[in-house]
Amino acid sequence: MTVAQDTTSAEEYEALRAAVEEFARTEVAPVIGDLYIREEFPYDITAKMGEMGLFGLPLPEEYGGQGGDYYALCLALEELARVDSSVAITVEAGVGLGAMPIHRFGTDEQKARWLPDLAAGRALGAFGLTEPGGGSDAGGTRTTARLENGEWVINGSKCFITNSGTDITSVVTVTAVTGEKPDGGKEISAILVPAGTPGFTVGGKYSKVGWNCSDTRELFFDDVRVPQSHLLGERGRGYAQFLSILDEGRVAIAALSVGLAQGCVDESVRYAGEREAFGRTIGSYQAIQFTIAEMEARAHTARLAWQHAARLLVAGKPFKKEAAIAKLVASNAAMDNARDATQVFGGYGFMNEYPVGRFYRDAKILEIGEGTSEVQKMLIARHLGLR
């Protein structure tokens, strides 16, 4: 696998990829099926990933991180998702939505307080953006926060928030309307709310189609008070800050999607070489061969897309369009490959005991989360000058 231009970096990336691949195969694969059926959060796996340093891959060493980059994180996410997307999204959200906003926009005091535990996987962070009436219209935030006697008083609710209700969740970054802009628009800011703050209630686990080992909750804020110093970044820049975080997250979700797509190929190749029909393995039939060949082509093409976007990101070059392309192409590949893998497995593909059934359930959200496919097309069109 070609992952970098200079030899040293390529060797380091490959060592990381191989280590995560082995971890996913030996530590995740044997247990994740049962956890998934029971809809249990994988605390033991999460702790082990923390010990490996996966939650700190792109974070500075001074805060307990690995001092790596977003490309390294994406490599790890792809390998995890080849086995299970719930585990992969726990890392992606923990890093991209939990730790990165603090790393990018936090004060030295905020970084020192939150990042060491987040980087080590001892704690998880979450980002409360989406609201029941919002979704893609993130600018339609209704949650409010007003300053009163040196404290932010927050009221409102959020939905579909990953990593927000685990036993190790330590902080949620919340976007809220903190005033009005000169042009009459909403002034949206980001505020850090520690877990357990009075008035901050975490709802029960959603009953989901997929990602059953991922923690996803609704959040409620009833006169929640936090110090004024818990403002994250500049007042009124919360929405803009999140958009920049979302651009990075799209590259990460693209890598995760490629992992699922490749996992479908892996399982289909294995099964096609074992399953017999009409006196020979189904992998010897051209129809099956062509199906799996197209699956591999989708995964390969999508991988090139996320790798290109990630290289631009790491190099500090514009990458918004490329991130949108990667997310669109990769999520489509994941969905298409999950459907085809289920078909290759036939009736067994509909059974929870086989990974492809889990892949099929997990794939659809990749076309929705961190920007729907329609939003990606809109962004790409805008970058082409179409208004």
Side-chain angles (χ1 to χ4, degrees), residues 153-349:
V153 183
I154 307 170
N155 285 279
S157 64
K158 303 290 181 177
C159 63
F160 311 139
I161 310 304
T162 305
N163 289 347
S164 59
T166 73
D167 293 344
I168 58 175
T169 299
S170 63
V171 63
V172 178
T173 302
V174 178
T175 52
V177 178
T178 53
E180 186 176 290
K181 294 181 178 180
D183 62 3
K186 295 178 179 179
E187 176 193 84
I188 299 177
S189 304
I191 301 171
L192 295 165
V193 180
T197 300
F200 174 27
T201 304
V202 179
K205 294 190 299 183
Y206 286 109
S207 176
K208 297 176 294 188
V209 171
W211 281 2
N212 283 358
C213 290
S214 169
D215 180 79
T216 316
R217 312 268 183 156
E218 191 170 8
L219 309 179
F220 304 94
F221 305 89
D222 184 11
D223 283 341
V224 173
R225 292 177 176 270
V226 297
Q228 185 175 350
S229 61
H230 281 213
L231 177 71
L232 182 64
E234 184 181 343
R235 178 170 176 169
R237 295 287 297 168
Y239 184 55
Q241 291 168 11
F242 179 77
L243 289 180
S244 68
I245 291 295
L246 196 60
D247 288 332
E248 297 179 356
R250 286 174 181 140
V251 183
I253 291 294
L256 190 157
S257 299
V258 170
L260 189 152
Q262 191 64 56
C264 289
V265 175
D266 298 341
E267 293 297 326
S268 295
V269 169
R270 180 191 59 76
Y271 186 74
E274 299 173 352
R275 179 78 161 94
E276 292 189 0
F278 305 105
R280 57 185 193 178
T281 61
I282 63 172
S284 66
Y285 293 103
Q286 192 176 68
I288 298 296
Q289 292 175 356
F290 280 13
T291 295
I292 298 177
E294 286 201 18
M295 292 166 63
E296 174 69 7
R298 290 189 199 113
H300 177 76
T301 303
R303 179 177 297 110
L304 295 178
W306 84 247
Q307 289 184 346
H308 177 58
R311 288 193 181 98
L312 292 175
L313 189 166
V314 171
K317 298 179 180 179
F319 69 97
K320 292 178 182 290
K321 182 185 75 172
E322 289 76 11
I325 291 173
K327 205 274 184 179
L328 177 65
V329 171
S331 60
N332 285 344
M335 192 66 204
D336 290 343
N337 278 17
R339 183 184 61 248
D340 284 349
T342 303
Q343 194 70 20
V344 168
F345 272 69
Y348 290 110

Side-chain angles (χ1 to χ4, degrees), residues 24-245:
R25 184 179 66 253
T26 60
E27 299 288 343
V28 180
V31 300
I32 198 63
D34 288 340
L35 291 172
Y36 195 92
I37 292 174
R38 297 198 302 269
E39 300 185 6
E40 291 185 14
F41 186 81
Y43 286 103
D44 289 343
I45 292 174
T46 299
K48 291 177 181 178
M49 292 191 296
E51 293 170 1
M52 288 181 67
L54 300 189
F55 287 95
L57 279 172
L59 298 174
E61 293 180 3
E62 64 181 297
Y63 297 112
Q66 301 299 305
D69 56 32
Y70 226 82
Y71 197 106
L73 173 64
C74 290
L75 279 177
L77 292 174
E78 179 179 334
E79 292 303 326
L80 290 172
R82 284 178 72 172
V83 171
D84 182 71
S85 293
S86 293
V87 170
I89 197 59
T90 296
V91 175
E92 193 280 330
V95 178
L97 299 178
M100 290 306 287
I102 300 173
H103 169 49
R104 298 289 191 208
F105 309 112
T107 64
D108 290 342
E109 181 181 357
Q110 290 168 345
K111 293 176 183 179
R113 176 177 178 180
W114 302 110
L115 288 185
D117 283 342
L118 296 177
R122 292 188 295 267
L124 291 174
F127 200 107
L129 173 78
T130 306
E131 299 190 358
S136 296
D137 182 17
T141 300
R142 295 183 179 179
T143 296
T144 63
R146 70 180 190 276
L147 270 178
E148 185 177 288
N149 298 324
E151 293 181 317
W152 291 107
V153 183
I154 307 170
N155 285 279
S157 64
K158 303 290 181 177
C159 63
F160 311 139
I161 310 304
T162 305
N163 289 347
S164 59
T166 73
D167 293 344
I168 58 175
T169 299
S170 63
V171 63
V172 178
T173 302
V174 178
T175 52
V177 178
T178 53
E180 186 176 290
K181 294 181 178 180
D183 62 3
K186 295 178 179 179
E187 176 193 84
I188 299 177
S189 304
I191 301 171
L192 295 165
V193 180
T197 300
F200 174 27
T201 304
V202 179
K205 294 190 299 183
Y206 286 109
S207 176
K208 297 176 294 188
V209 171
W211 281 2
N212 283 358
C213 290
S214 169
D215 180 79
T216 316
R217 312 268 183 156
E218 191 170 8
L219 309 179
F220 304 94
F221 305 89
D222 184 11
D223 283 341
V224 173
R225 292 177 176 270
V226 297
Q228 185 175 350
S229 61
H230 281 213
L231 177 71
L232 182 64
E234 184 181 343
R235 178 170 176 169
R237 295 287 297 168
Y239 184 55
Q241 291 168 11
F242 179 77
L243 289 180
S244 68
I245 291 295

